[in-house]
Amino acid sequence: MANSLKNISGLLSPKFLSPRLSPNYLLASPKSEGNRYKHKLTRSVVAKKLDFVTDDKFLKVPSRFPKNETGNFKNLLEVNSSSREDIHNKSLELNTPNKVTLFHSGLGKLKKRTTILGTGTFGTVFQGIYKGTKVAVKVVAKETSNNEKNALLLSHPNIVKTLNIITNPEFTTYNLIIMEHLPKCITLQDVLESCGEKYDSLTLKKFAVDITTGLDYCHSNNVLHLDLKPKNILVDQKNTCKICDFGNSVSIGDNLSNFKHNGTVIYTAPELLLGKSPSMKSDIYSLGIIFWQIKYRKTPFEAYDSNESIIYNVAKHNIRPTCDKNNEDLFTNIFTKCWNTESNIRPNTCDILKDLEHVQI
């Protein structure tokens, strides 16, 4: 899913889109096609299409975490973590022989000797031991490690700390990103998928404030994340959100004229879909989509069955996730401003934080 959006003019042309999808169909409301949407999309059906990762396909979302009777978020984390406590003791020592294997062929041969913490667009994260300390290690293609370097100087409670980037000039395939290890954490995507309607308003507000605060710190250090989404936000035992995965990030000081976006389409700002250069306001658009997801606990654009359809509607016809007109509030006002088509009209992180002080979700 996370492809480079080159040839964008062709991608947005109706001729490029699937033969099954005529321009009239793309412009129509997803449920106005009669028999095509005769069966109502349910959570169980849509769950198979939630996470856009690679090869322009909708992949299956990780298994849902167990609900508890009280809906207490902290208890949810404890239930999930304790059920997997045994496997979390498997850590791969980053000694010289293991590093050589990782540089040469990635994690494949060593996968059974460690715990996989997550997989994403830019690499696989596993549990390791580095200089005697338990860490999270991401194996990434060498060409994307330059983007990861943007996180090296970031140190903030709402950002997963990148400790080191290990390279070897003798190998041209993989590099290793060493990050802080967060025990018993899960992604915000897993949280939103597993907790149903049982949410505490203060916890939801804390999520929104944490994410915005972390993004504000990135922007104040001239770093654009450009792949902000619930899967790239970890939630720890104290319900603190931490932004991770800087594999698509750029520094504002870089030459962005040749920037190739590899982020996730449903969270991508329309100007990036149109091939324009990124800005801080591109991250703000993604933040707005995340806020909508926190409020409605649904996946954006879940009724559309292809990336091309989403791109065509978002970039060319300003389609956005649907809001309940009978349930509009200050939070709704915030995220609808964040996803404004005109990027210069979108608020900055400081303005959003001020508005969040008065929000009840």
Side-chain angles (χ1 to χ4, degrees):
M1 145 70 223
N3 353 337
S4 174
L5 295 176
K6 48 190 177 179
N7 301 321
I8 193 68
S9 59
L11 183 58
L12 293 174
S13 168
K15 294 181 180 179
F16 178 86
L17 305 175
S18 169
R20 298 186 297 110
L21 304 176
S22 68
N24 289 335
Y25 162 68
L26 292 170
L27 297 176
S29 172
K31 294 185 180 179
S32 66
E33 276 280 310
N35 291 335
R36 183 176 181 83
Y37 286 90
K38 185 175 181 180
H39 60 288
K40 182 178 181 181
L41 289 174
T42 63
R43 296 296 294 171
S44 60
V45 174
V46 175
K48 297 180 180 179
K49 296 185 176 182
L50 292 183
D51 188 24
F52 305 87
V53 181
T54 57
D55 299 329
D56 282 334
K57 295 180 180 178
F58 296 83
L59 302 182
K60 185 177 180 180
V61 166
S63 298
R64 300 170 187 268
F65 286 86
K67 300 177 182 178
N68 66 6
E69 294 181 357
T70 64
N72 182 278
F73 184 70
K74 183 176 181 180
N75 288 344
L76 174 71
L77 288 177
E78 291 172 349
V79 169
N80 174 59
S81 302
S82 61
S83 65
R84 301 191 300 172
E85 189 172 3
D86 54 335
I87 65 170
H88 274 277
N89 292 324
K90 294 175 63 177
S91 301
L92 182 66
E93 181 75 35
L94 293 184
N95 53 33
T96 299
N98 286 340
K99 285 192 289 186
V100 168
T101 300
L102 291 166
F103 288 138
H104 181 264
S105 56
L107 186 59
K109 296 179 180 179
L110 301 174
K111 187 174 292 187
K112 293 182 179 180
R113 294 171 51 188
T114 186
T115 299
I116 304 299
L117 301 177
T119 56
T121 303
F122 301 101
T124 299
V125 182
F126 67 90
Q127 187 167 277
I129 300 294
Y130 177 65
K131 295 183 178 181
T133 302
K134 186 181 291 187
V135 293
V137 185
K138 181 161 63 170
V139 184
V140 299
K142 210 172 185 73
E143 58 267 22
T144 66
S145 60
N146 284 335
N147 303 71
E148 299 278 0
K149 290 179 182 178
N150 292 315
L152 272 174
L153 298 179
L154 301 179
S155 181
H156 190 274
N158 298 120
I159 296 174
V160 174
K161 177 64 178 173
T162 298
L163 304 172
N164 197 5
I165 297 178
I166 306 178
T167 63
N168 189 321
E170 296 182 10
F171 300 94
T172 60
T173 310
Y174 297 102
N175 285 340
L176 305 178
I177 313 299
I178 312 300
M179 301 169 289
E180 67 173 316
H181 179 265
L182 300 174
K184 300 182 180 180
C185 72
I186 57 177
T187 70
L188 181 61
Q189 178 73 33
D190 292 329
V191 172
L192 297 177
E193 283 298 309
S194 63
C195 291
E197 299 297 323
K198 298 180 180 180
Y199 275 95
D200 175 79
S201 178
L202 291 178
T203 301
L204 290 174
K205 181 176 178 177
K206 184 179 186 324
F207 290 167
V209 171
D210 282 355
I211 300 164
T212 308
T213 303
L215 184 61
D216 177 72
Y217 180 80
C218 291
H219 288 178
S220 66
N221 285 274
N222 296 321
V223 173
L224 309 182
H225 189 279
L226 301 180
D227 195 23
L228 200 62
K229 59 183 179 180
K231 250 197 113 173
N232 286 342
I233 298 165
L234 298 182
V235 184
D236 69 11
Q237 294 172 278
K238 297 181 179 180
N239 295 350
T240 298
C241 289
K242 294 175 177 279
I243 299 171
C244 64
D245 198 343
F246 285 76
N248 196 52
S249 68
V250 299
S251 172
I252 292 177
D254 294 341
N255 180 5
L256 303 180
S257 59
N258 296 320
F259 172 75
K260 295 181 180 179
H261 184 63
N262 291 299
T264 307
V265 167
I266 57 176
Y267 301 97
T268 298
E271 64 269 18
L272 298 185
L273 297 175
L274 290 169
K276 298 179 181 179
S277 296
S279 68
M280 292 181 183
K281 298 302 180 72
S282 303
D283 278 337
I284 296 298
Y285 176 93
S286 304
L287 186 67
I289 301 293
I290 293 171
F291 283 1
W292 177 91
Q293 196 167 349
I294 289 174
K295 180 177 177 65
Y296 289 100
R297 296 179 289 282
K298 298 178 181 179
T299 298
F301 310 109
E302 61 185 6
Y304 294 94
D305 63 356
S306 72
N307 293 340
E308 293 90 347
S309 178
I310 295 169
I311 292 170
Y312 190 87
N313 280 281
V314 169
K316 300 293 285 186
H317 299 285
N318 303 324
I319 301 299
R320 299 292 185 268
T322 303
C323 298
D324 182 358
K325 293 183 179 180
N326 296 321
N327 191 24
E328 292 185 354
D329 50 18
L330 178 57
F331 194 49
T332 301
N333 184 51
I334 292 172
F335 62 67
T336 53
K337 287 192 295 186
C338 288
W339 68 38
N340 194 294
T341 301
E342 300 296 328
S343 60
N344 61 314
I345 297 178
R346 297 171 199 157
N348 59 38
T349 49
C350 292
D351 293 334
I352 295 170
L353 286 171
K354 289 178 183 177
D355 288 341
L356 285 173
E357 293 178 3
H358 309 288
V359 159
Q360 279 192 327
I361 303 176

